[in-house]
Each structure stands twice: as structure tokens, then as C-alpha cells.
């Protein structure tokens, strides 16, 4: 999030990465429940805070990563994903290994071995 940092409006028009990060920061400020979803008015206010309006080329770039719903909401989850995971990859991998060990021995799960006959 930009948290009051001054937005470089000239840079918005020439640096697509900066534009997308700045927009995402403003959307997150408007997204009180942190769902990747904001109202159309919240979307418009966020654009206004960046000095942008509908019809601007920069808004078209942002909308490539958003879905405008019929009920007046804008989903920006795709923009969040495009900008990268919030949890660093290393932490995700470590958690996955703890949950799903790669070299677990099948016999540890009570398979009982050879499946022979009962005598």
C-alpha cells in the first residue's frame, strides 16, 4: 500500500509496474474486508486518488487485471496475483514440506506390509 506516499503521476503513464502497484495499493486501502473486491465507487475514488479517470490509457491497463461485476463491484484479485504472492515462496515451500513430506514411507501409514493370507 502507498500509505500517504506521494504518487508520481508522470511515472504512472510511463512505468506500467509502478502504475499497477500504485493502483493495487489504493484498491487495498478501499478494500476494508481484504477480499480482493471493492465497490465501483471505491474503484473510482482509488483512480481519482491516482489522478486517473475512466477512458485514460492507464485505466485500460489496470482493467486488464480486474473484473467488473454486474452488481457494482470490481474484483481486483487477478491484479494482486499478477503482482506476486504476499507470502514469500520460501515460506510457502517450507510449509508445504511440513504438511506434505516428500519422502514419507508408505509403511508409516499402517499398510501392514505384504497383504498375505490370513492363517
Amino acid at each position: 500500500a502507498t500509505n500517504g506516499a506521494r504518487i508520481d503521476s508522470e511515472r504512472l503513464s510511463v512505468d506500467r509496474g509502478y502504475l499497477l502497484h500504485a493502483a493495487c495499493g489504493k484498491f487495498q486501502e478501499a478494500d476494508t474486508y481484504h477480499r480482493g473486491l471493492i465497490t465501483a465507487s471505491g474503484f473510482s475514488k482509488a483512480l481519482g486518488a491516482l489522478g486517473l479517470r475512466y477512458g485514460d490509457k492507464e485505466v485500460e491497463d489496470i482493467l486488464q487485471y480486474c473484473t467488473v461485476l454486474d452488481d457494482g463491484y470490481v474484483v481486483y484479485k487477478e491484479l494482486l496475483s499478477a503482482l506476486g504472492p504476499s507470502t514469500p515462496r520460501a515460506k510457502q515451500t517450507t510449509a508445504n514440506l511440513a504438511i506434505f513430506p516428500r519422502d514419507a514411507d508408505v509403511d508409516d501409514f499402517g499398510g501392514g506390509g505384504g497383504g498375505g493370507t490370513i492363517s
Side-chain angles (χ1 to χ4, degrees), residues 7-21:
I7 299 293
D8 182 346
S9 54
E10 287 183 24
R11 188 174 170 195
L12 288 174
S13 60
V14 295
D15 184 343
R16 192 163 190 261
Y18 179 75
L19 167 71
L20 296 177
H21 276 93

Side-chain angles (χ1 to χ4, degrees), residues 60-103:
E60 296 302 316
D61 285 346
I62 294 166
L63 282 170
Q64 289 178 4
Y65 296 93
C66 299
T67 305
V68 181
L69 302 176
D70 292 337
D71 61 1
Y73 284 90
V74 177
V75 180
Y76 69 97
K77 286 180 187 175
E78 193 177 326
L79 178 60
L80 283 169
S81 329
L83 296 177
S86 56
T87 305
R89 283 272 173 230
K91 286 187 178 180
Q92 290 177 350
T93 303
T94 304
N96 283 340
L97 285 174
I99 297 167
F100 307 108
R102 287 199 181 126
D103 53 355

